[in-house]
Amino acid sequence: MSARIRIRSALAGEGLGNEIMIKGWVRTIRAGKEVAFLALNDGSCFANLQVVAEPRLANFADICAIGTGAAVAVRGILVESPASGQRYEIHAEEVEVIGAADESYPLQKKRHTFEYLRSIAHLRPRSNTFGAVFRVRSSVAQAVHRFFAERGFLYVHTPIITTSDCEGAGEMFRVTTLDPAAPPLLEGEVDFSRDFFAAQAGLTVSGQLEGELFAQAFSDIYTFGPTFRAENSNTPRHAAEFWMIEPEMAFADLMADAALAEEFFRYLCRHVLDACGEDMAFFNDHIDKGLIARVEQVANSSFAIMEYGEAIERLTKATVKFEYPVEWGLDLQTEHERYLTEQVVGGPVFVINYPKYIKAFYMRMNDDDKTVAAMDLLVPKVGEIIGGSQREERLHVLEGRMAEVGVNPEGLWWYLDSRRWGSTPHAGFGLGFERLIMNLTGMENIRDVIPFPRTPRHAEF
Ligand code: 4AD
Ligand code: MG
């Protein structure tokens, strides 16, 4: 009895001329009196393997009745296929139905909208598009780790439950074991000192603050984990749970930060072209016609850098009409970001040195006293994909900033300590992993690049 091999290997010709065993799910079936053809997919690659079954098989009638979606095991000889469009096929000696599927299986042959497929998120990984998306996602995640491993960055697991709101935007989900109907009160307020952590805790919005502590010991570190934001924005680019990659480097300034971000982004573009060719060809043909050329261009280009002030000037001079106002001191909206990267630059651009009022407390104050050493990387179609900065390493300046924006220093005594002893200029950034996958695949909704999206009012599966 041959051991099972994956369809990817069979389609590469492994076992050609010999008996092999494959297992997978039926994508399509065409059955006639003389022969039945089953297209089988096991998730290992985009293409299906064609199974040819003939009436001499004892259970031929049963094979002809197999439904789309059924799980089957096939033993047979791998041969060169006479048909066009595939190199190899398997001539079945035995077809065993492992798990049947009837006509009520929702993923029958016809094309479905992404919206419909979201309503069957438990089944959509078995479709062509989502098979490709999640293979790319997995491969790119591994490339992320490889990139940092090759450069000596320490991988640190920062906590998911935390008592500090890194971005200070008040978007933390609460973590509590208090009875919501009757929480303990102290002077009319909920008494969190009696909660599980004896403090108001939540799900992390970023691993940065803890990452900074590790950078002050290991020099170069990164985190790659889930982050949570109770942002009530129902957009194609926001999720309540998303994954973020956050490197942090000691002895580094904003320009070193931008250089790392560029090298990283280009590395991942190159990776997806080299390692995910078949899936990328699908996206290029069916999802986003110019995708491969665009990713190729980004992989080979050096990124532009533009001061926030110049960005505002360019936007003010733009002939297009924006929905949101443009003015020095206001944050850039997606429409502005896309205009800058798509129309002005025609490629990725770092916008740097934003007004302090629209950025987080930890960013390093520039000498002009108005702007901070922030950088956002903007890319076509997505807008902001990376947010980063040089950090304020001067204790008194940091304390001043915290007071200015109303961040309570008591809860962050440990963060301030990192500026007390052996403080270094340091910098880092956060890359939203889903936005990266959107950019690399051409998928336009964040809900379609994360297995089970969490967005306002949606956490069913
Ligand atoms: O710009 P953000 O908020 O930066 C930080 O969290 C910093 N602590 C990062 C750092 O310097 N270490 O978020 C970083 C990136 C964004 O550029 C975006 O790609 C992604 O995270 N992001 C989201 N992705 C999906 N859904 C959301 N709600 C997101 N919010 C941010
Ligand atoms: Mg940001």
Side-chain angles (χ1 to χ4, degrees):
M1 194 74 185
S2 349
R4 177 199 184 195
I5 66 168
R6 300 299 296 269
I7 286 174
R8 181 191 179 84
S9 308
L11 286 174
E14 187 184 312
L16 183 62
N18 298 321
E19 182 182 283
I20 62 166
M21 160 80 88
I22 57 163
K23 297 180 180 183
W25 293 267
V26 174
R27 282 290 174 85
T28 59
I29 172 159
R30 281 182 294 135
K33 276 204 181 67
E34 303 301 318
V35 65
F37 296 107
L38 285 77
L40 218 61
N41 192 287
D42 68 359
S44 58
C45 60
F46 188 90
N48 302 322
L49 181 60
Q50 170 154 286
V51 178
V52 182
E54 293 175 345
R56 64 186 169 82
L57 300 182
N59 62 341
F60 184 71
D62 296 339
I63 294 170
C64 293
I66 291 174
T68 301
V72 300
V74 177
R75 189 171 57 76
I77 311 290
L78 187 69
V79 299
E80 305 221 7
S81 175
S84 68
Q86 62 206 3
R87 257 187 92 188
Y88 305 109
E89 61 186 25
I90 180 170
H91 284 190
E93 297 294 329
E94 191 183 339
V95 177
E96 184 192 351
V97 177
I98 309 277
D102 64 16
E103 336 60 70
S104 66
Y105 178 62
L107 282 178
Q108 299 295 337
K109 227 198 287 184
K110 64 178 188 293
R111 282 190 77 139
H112 302 286
T113 65
F114 291 150
E115 214 159 9
Y116 170 70
L117 289 169
R118 265 172 235 149
S119 75
I120 51 166
H122 58 309
L123 297 171
R124 68 178 183 171
R126 298 195 212 172
S127 66
N128 278 338
T129 303
F130 290 91
V133 165
F134 295 120
R135 266 187 305 276
V136 166
R137 186 177 166 116
S138 168
S139 180
V140 173
Q142 287 169 348
V144 165
H145 288 297
R146 207 153 44 244
F147 175 87
F148 288 116
E150 285 167 6
R151 285 158 186 77
F153 281 61
L154 181 108
Y155 176 33
V156 53
H157 297 111
T158 50
I160 288 172
I161 299 175
T162 173
T163 54
S164 53
D165 178 359
C166 170
E167 294 306 303
E171 289 165 348
M172 281 212 325
F173 285 99
R174 292 262 181 88
V175 173
T176 177
T177 52
L178 296 179
D179 178 358
L185 298 177
L186 185 69
E187 292 167 3
E189 307 249 316
V190 177
D191 182 6
F192 286 105
S193 71
R194 290 168 64 187
D195 202 347
F196 190 92
F197 298 107
Q200 201 168 332
L203 297 177
T204 187
V205 298
S206 160
Q208 179 195 321
L209 301 189
E210 295 88 352
E212 284 185 52
L213 306 180
F214 266 59
Q216 297 303 318
F218 299 95
S219 298
D220 297 332
I221 66 95
Y222 73 105
T223 69
F224 185 2
T227 47
F228 308 86
R229 293 190 189 180
E231 233 172 325
N232 199 3
S233 36
N234 244 318
T235 81
R237 328 176 315 140
H238 287 89
E241 177 179 300
F242 62 98
W243 286 63
M244 191 159 39
I245 300 137
E246 295 183 276
E248 191 73 31
M249 298 178 289
F251 310 105
D253 63 10
L254 189 67
M255 286 304 109
D257 204 26
L260 179 74
E262 177 178 327
E263 192 186 356
F264 183 42
F265 204 86
R266 291 173 58 180
Y267 179 97
L268 298 176
C269 288
R270 175 56 48 211
H271 170 81
V272 83
L273 293 168
D274 291 349
C276 307
E278 192 188 18
D279 291 322
M280 289 300 281
F282 166 77
F283 292 124
N284 194 62
D285 290 346
H286 296 280
I287 304 291
D288 178 354
K289 294 276 185 242
L291 177 73
I292 289 181
R294 198 180 70 235
V295 175
E296 186 78 52
Q297 192 214 333
V298 173
N300 295 326
S301 66
S302 62
F303 298 179
I305 296 184
M306 188 186 287
E307 292 277 337
Y308 167 87
E310 186 190 339
I312 293 296
E313 228 169 86
R314 297 286 192 124
L315 290 166
T316 315
K317 288 193 188 131
T319 48
V320 298
K321 206 117 193 72
F322 295 119
E323 192 184 333
Y324 292 89
V326 175
E327 197 185 312
W328 200 99
L330 296 182
D331 207 354
L332 301 181
Q333 303 296 325
T334 305
E335 55 173 353
H336 307 139
E337 294 172 343
R338 289 190 56 176
Y339 178 83
L340 291 169
T341 168
E342 290 167 14
Q343 307 301 321
V344 178
V345 175
V349 56
F350 289 103
V351 176
I352 60 168
N353 296 331
Y354 284 72
K356 62 177 180 177
Y357 300 107
I358 55 174
K359 290 292 183 188
F361 73 94
Y362 53 70
M363 297 192 182
R364 192 178 198 277
M365 184 63 66
N366 287 327
D367 292 341
D368 62 12
D369 237 12
K370 289 197 303 216
T371 61
V372 288
M375 62 169 207
D376 278 5
L377 177 63
L378 315 181
V379 294
K381 298 198 81 165
V382 174
E384 177 194 341
I385 199 162
I386 283 178
S389 65
Q390 186 172 337
R391 321 305 189 186
E392 186 51 77
E393 86 284 13
R394 298 161 298 186
L395 180 63
H396 63 283
V397 183
L398 182 60
E399 285 173 329
R401 273 292 284 154
M402 287 166 79
E404 203 171 63
V405 301
V407 173
N408 184 358
E410 263 165 49
L412 288 176
W413 61 271
W414 44 271
Y415 187 68
L416 289 167
D417 264 6
S418 67
R419 274 66 173 171
R420 240 179 269 284
W421 306 294
S423 187
T424 67
H426 61 290
F429 63 81
L431 168 64
F433 191 56
E434 285 71 24
R435 292 201 188 160
L436 170 71
I437 301 301
M438 288 168 74
N439 191 253
L440 296 179
T441 60
M443 296 295 286
E444 292 191 336
N445 196 309
I446 196 164
R447 292 164 183 78
D448 298 332
V449 296
I450 189 165
F452 301 99
R454 270 83 182 94
T455 54
R457 305 168 58 78
H458 289 283
E460 190 179 7
F461 13 48

